[in-house]
């Protein structure tokens, strides 16, 4: 998978735009946000099953054969050791007692949670995926 020449600017635009977009299952959540980042960086479209609630998200993931957000990302991206995650790589991170999908932005990761976008330390990365 190749990144566009202007991938960093495109990633920055998505992250900044999501600061003002409230969490919404199926539209702006812990799976759609990192996939939107990947689309911005690569130009490829990544389809997400339709859902509108937390239960609906779990059912849609399970129906598609995934047990987690990380499993869904692993179906499209090469999994790498979390220590090797670089700027623009997707992550599955732990935020308190919840799993959150996000994107590496350097020394931190940005994840979309019900509380909005949160910055987490790299130590929160549980799984990482090369974009």
């Amino acid at each position: 998978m190749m990144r566009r020449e202007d991938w960093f600017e495109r990633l920055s635009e998505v992250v900044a735009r999501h600061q003002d977009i409230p969490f919404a299952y199926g539209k702006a959540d812990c799976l759609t946000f990192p996939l939107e980042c990947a689309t911005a960086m690569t130009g490829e479209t990544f389809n997400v099953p339709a859902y509108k609630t937390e239960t609906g998200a779990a059912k849609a993931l399970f129906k598609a054969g995934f047990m987690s957000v990380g499993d869904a990302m692993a179906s499209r991206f090469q999994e790498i050791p979390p220590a090797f995650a670089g700027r623009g790589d997707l992550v599955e991170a732990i935020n308190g007692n919840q799993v959150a999908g996000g994107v590496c932005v350097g020394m931190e990761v940005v994840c979309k949670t019900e509380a909005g976008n949160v910055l987490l330390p790299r130590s929160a990365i549980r799984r990482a995926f090369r974009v």
Side-chain angles (χ1 to χ4, degrees), residues 67-86:
M67 296 300 292
S68 68
V69 168
D71 289 346
M73 288 190 273
S75 73
R76 291 299 307 264
F77 304 95
Q78 175 190 1
E79 189 159 0
I80 58 174
F84 294 169

Side-chain angles (χ1 to χ4, degrees), residues 85-104:
R87 186 171 281 132
D89 290 330
L90 305 186
V91 301
E92 179 185 79
I94 301 298
N95 179 34
N97 62 352
Q98 294 183 323
V99 174
V103 63
C104 186

Side-chain angles (χ1 to χ4, degrees), residues 2-110:
M2 295 289 296
R3 292 185 187 188
R4 297 173 178 220
E5 282 188 33
D6 61 347
W7 70 268
F8 181 74
E9 291 81 9
R10 290 173 175 270
L11 172 62
S12 297
E13 289 171 7
V14 171
V15 171
R17 188 167 37 78
H18 268 269
Q19 288 295 103
D20 298 324
I21 297 175
F23 183 94
Y25 282 103
K27 295 186 186 301
D29 62 26
C30 61
L31 179 57
T32 59
F33 168 65
L35 292 180
E36 186 176 335
C37 290
T39 295
M41 290 185 288
T42 66
E44 292 187 35
T45 301
F46 303 98
N47 296 325
V48 177
Y51 54 88
K52 294 181 181 179
T53 65
E54 182 177 11
T55 301
K59 286 180 181 179
L61 284 173
F62 186 75
K63 185 176 180 182
F66 309 126
M67 296 300 292
S68 68
V69 168
D71 289 346
M73 288 190 273
S75 73
R76 291 299 307 264
F77 304 95
Q78 175 190 1
E79 189 159 0
I80 58 174
F84 294 169
R87 186 171 281 132
D89 290 330
L90 305 186
V91 301
E92 179 185 79
I94 301 298
N95 179 34
N97 62 352
Q98 294 183 323
V99 174
V103 63
C104 186
V105 292
M107 296 307 294
E108 298 174 304
V109 296
V110 177

